[in-house]
Amino acid sequence: MSDEHETYSAITLYTHQNGAIYILFGSGGETVQGSLFGISLRDLYCYVMETTPEMLDLQILKSDVYNLKWGESSSLDDTNMIEIMRSEGTSGVMVPTILADINNDGVNDLIVSLFNGMYTVLNGNDLSVIWTTGQMFEGYQSYSIPAPGYFNDDVYLDIMVCLSLGAWPVYHQNTVAILDGRDGSTLWSTTALSQRRMMNSPLSVSQGSHKSAFIFWLIGRRFTLQQSCFLDDSHAKCPMHHHGDHKKRHTDSGSENCNNETLLLDEAELLMVDRDSMRAPSILTRVQADTYRYELTNNENEPNQNISTTTSDKLLREENTKQNTHHRKREVEKEDGSECTVLAATIIATGAVSDIDFDGNLDMINLYSRDAVVLDDMYYVRSSLTIQRLKLHTQNLFRVPLNKNTTFIKSESCHNCNGNSEIKLFNSGWFGYMGLDGDGIYNDGQNKSIKDVLSP
């Protein structure tokens, strides 16, 4: 790594129009600045094999196209790695760059997502900036990959993005937005109060020529609808409990943190929206939050595992013993227990869409856990894991309203904005974390339905 910073980003392979292949990857993290880097396949091979281009015996890497510069980028060191884009501030590039033809010139462009909430589209020919959101999402952070698809009624790809307002690890609300592929402006957005950050990514499914349905998770929608408070660009003016402070999530039976109203704050819903249902998206599934009540019981005979076993440091062991003499209580589930915590969904993994059983209908696979932080003598997480399969039948999907500060396009002229039109799904789109084929490249496919594809 040229900047010697941490990296979490998966790689993306980019094939330039001239035939040169580049490996793209990001560096940095939540609190570490980073960049988007690229290195050609030839230069990576030479670095790993400790050889030079002149000594290569692989004909595919001896092409003169590898001697051409990609845009205005310049090599950083003897590896010939190039810095394509640097993140501003104190965070990095944590998710892979995805590739799609945004400007309709027949060449895949680079959609770069920075952790600080800025999205930039770079021209695949010369790495020039097509558009950037700049400070539009100032104060937000994002762990998610955008989902390309067609939202408004034109021939340009748009992208759905998911962001959380706040600074790691404390967040206040989540926003889902669809950005116009022509200039990065907001076509549609919705916000919900939640202190559970969004770490999964949205998906899109083609509905035919230049029209897509977008699939995304949203936490706290019904809580937001019920509040008389309001949301703005800086913060949410609503009373909420705080996930970042474990003690505030654990109180006696009279706590407002465990009543039905505040449980809606942690309720997760999987929604599907297109341009005809922007006011009332379809709900695919709902994961409700529950209360978990328990009592703390004494267990005097259980050995204290927190005491140091280092025989060479007697003072440290004695100090640990003093600090942990009370660490003998254990949690026991009890319906009328005096201790209460919230058991709610944690959705980190991005789902995947496919026709699992080859019946001609799309299915969706989700993976999520339901977690609660329990206060015995130490904090620990009570957790269960769920793998869910959904049939994406679209005829009788239940429609749900969004909060009043949702942004809509065509608010005056859209005749089907309440979701009365039928959603027809085809076997192409952005079907997983890295797209349909798992390579980070958006491909329109042939817009055939699954039944057409499976027909002889």
Side-chain angles (χ1 to χ4, degrees):
M1 186 72 67
S2 289
D3 57 8
E4 298 183 351
H5 291 172
E6 60 198 48
T7 180
Y8 301 95
S9 166
I11 66 170
T12 306
L13 293 181
Y14 185 90
T15 302
H16 195 276
Q17 195 175 22
N18 62 22
I21 300 174
Y22 289 85
I23 296 95
L24 308 178
F25 58 94
S27 71
E30 291 96 339
T31 58
V32 178
Q33 187 182 38
S35 300
L36 172 64
F37 292 105
I39 185 172
S40 72
L41 184 61
R42 182 198 69 178
D43 292 330
L44 178 63
Y45 180 86
C46 289
Y47 176 75
V48 172
M49 301 303 295
E50 297 182 347
T51 186
T52 63
E54 294 74 22
M55 301 295 293
L56 286 175
D57 54 3
L58 294 175
Q59 192 64 36
I60 191 174
L61 298 179
K62 296 178 70 173
S63 172
D64 291 338
V65 298
Y66 284 105
N67 297 323
L68 303 175
K69 287 182 60 176
W70 191 8
E72 298 300 321
S73 59
S74 57
S75 300
L76 295 172
D77 50 34
D78 56 3
T79 67
N80 288 327
M81 186 181 300
I82 58 175
E83 184 181 49
I84 298 173
M85 183 176 179
R86 179 176 298 180
S87 178
E88 299 177 356
T90 58
S91 60
V93 184
M94 296 186 64
V95 298
T97 294
I98 63 174
L99 310 176
D101 184 9
I102 296 296
N103 59 1
N104 286 345
D105 65 351
V107 176
N108 278 332
D109 305 304
L110 286 65
I111 304 175
V112 185
S113 308
L114 305 185
F115 183 69
N116 63 11
M118 186 170 77
Y119 300 91
T120 300
V121 177
L122 303 177
N123 192 304
N125 284 311
D126 57 10
L127 298 180
S128 60
V129 175
I130 295 178
W131 56 257
T132 181
T133 58
Q135 302 303 311
M136 178 191 300
F137 297 112
E138 185 177 6
Y140 282 85
Q141 295 179 340
S142 178
Y143 289 91
S144 303
I145 292 179
Y150 295 95
F151 188 69
N152 59 341
D153 192 12
D154 63 20
V155 297
Y156 291 92
L157 270 174
D158 310 306
I159 62 172
M160 173 176 276
V161 299
C162 299
L163 310 98
S164 299
L165 179 64
W168 179 86
V170 179
Y171 298 95
H172 312 292
Q173 64 188 46
N174 293 320
T175 291
V176 179
I178 299 177
L179 308 181
D180 194 329
R182 292 173 299 179
D183 56 12
S185 59
T186 300
L187 294 173
W188 178 90
S189 72
T190 188
T191 296
L193 298 167
S194 177
Q195 290 161 328
R196 292 181 177 269
R197 62 185 180 271
M198 300 181 69
M199 298 189 70
N200 61 292
S201 299
L203 305 175
S204 70
V205 183
S206 174
Q207 298 186 73
S209 179
H210 302 117
K211 186 179 182 183
S212 303
F214 293 85
I215 300 173
F216 62 98
W217 285 95
L218 193 62
I219 302 176
R221 178 192 64 86
R222 290 204 293 172
F223 178 86
T224 306
L225 279 175
Q226 289 185 5
Q227 299 305 302
S228 59
C229 57
F230 64 94
L231 308 174
D232 60 26
D233 293 335
S234 59
H235 61 282
K237 295 177 173 60
C238 281
M240 294 184 290
H241 59 265
H242 299 278
H243 291 275
D245 186 340
H246 298 309
K247 293 183 179 181
K248 291 184 179 180
R249 299 188 63 198
H250 301 77
T251 51
D252 59 30
S253 57
S255 169
E256 65 177 359
N257 291 353
C258 286
N259 65 34
N260 291 332
E261 181 179 327
T262 54
L263 285 179
L264 293 179
L265 178 66
D266 294 306
E267 182 183 75
E269 295 173 308
L270 183 66
L271 305 175
M272 180 166 62
V273 67
D274 64 6
R275 63 175 175 253
D276 291 334
S277 62
M278 67 181 82
R279 293 185 180 276
S282 304
I283 182 169
L284 302 179
T285 191
R286 175 179 289 155
V287 185
Q288 294 180 328
D290 296 313
T291 58
Y292 176 74
R293 295 189 178 276
Y294 59 95
E295 293 282 0
L296 294 178
T297 61
N298 291 323
N299 189 349
E300 298 293 341
N301 297 322
E302 185 167 346
N304 190 342
Q305 298 180 358
N306 297 299
I307 298 177
S308 171
T309 58
T310 307
T311 57
S312 62
D313 195 343
K314 183 178 180 180
L315 292 177
L316 177 60
R317 182 172 60 188
E318 291 177 351
E319 182 63 25
N320 282 340
T321 303
K322 293 178 182 178
Q323 293 179 1
N324 291 283
T325 53
H326 66 290
H327 282 186
R328 300 183 186 279
K329 291 185 177 181
R330 291 295 178 265
E331 154 263 338
V332 176
E333 183 175 3
K334 191 175 181 181
E335 288 187 4
D336 59 349
S338 61
E339 300 291 337
C340 179
T341 185
V342 178
L343 183 66
T346 300
I347 303 168
I348 297 178
T350 298
V353 174
S354 183
D355 182 12
I356 303 298
D357 54 3
F358 300 102
D359 68 345
N361 295 296
L362 285 175
D363 307 289
M364 183 172 182
I365 303 297
N366 292 309
L367 175 67
Y368 61 85
S369 61
R370 297 180 78 235
D371 308 313
V373 180
V374 176
L375 269 181
D376 52 9
D377 293 313
M378 294 184 65
Y379 298 124
Y380 81 94
V381 176
R382 173 175 288 272
S383 181
S384 63
L385 190 65
T386 298
I387 300 177
Q388 178 190 61
R389 174 186 169 189
L390 299 174
K391 301 290 291 184
L392 297 183
H393 296 301
T394 60
Q395 291 81 6
N396 299 309
L397 289 175
F398 180 67
R399 305 286 180 175
V400 295
L402 297 172
N403 64 75
K404 62 184 179 182
N405 71 313
T406 298
T407 299
F408 302 112
I409 60 168
K410 299 182 178 178
S411 58
E412 299 299 329
S413 60
C414 182
H415 299 295
N416 295 313
C417 288
N418 291 324
N420 296 322
S421 64
E422 180 182 355
I423 297 177
K424 186 177 182 181
L425 303 179
F426 291 86
N427 191 29
S428 64
W430 192 257
F431 278 10
Y433 182 71
M434 291 283 283
L436 179 64
D437 298 318
D439 55 5
I441 302 174
Y442 181 83
N443 190 332
D444 280 330
Q446 300 179 11
N447 282 335
K448 293 183 179 180
S449 69
I450 296 179
K451 293 180 180 179
D452 292 335
V453 173
L454 296 178
S455 299

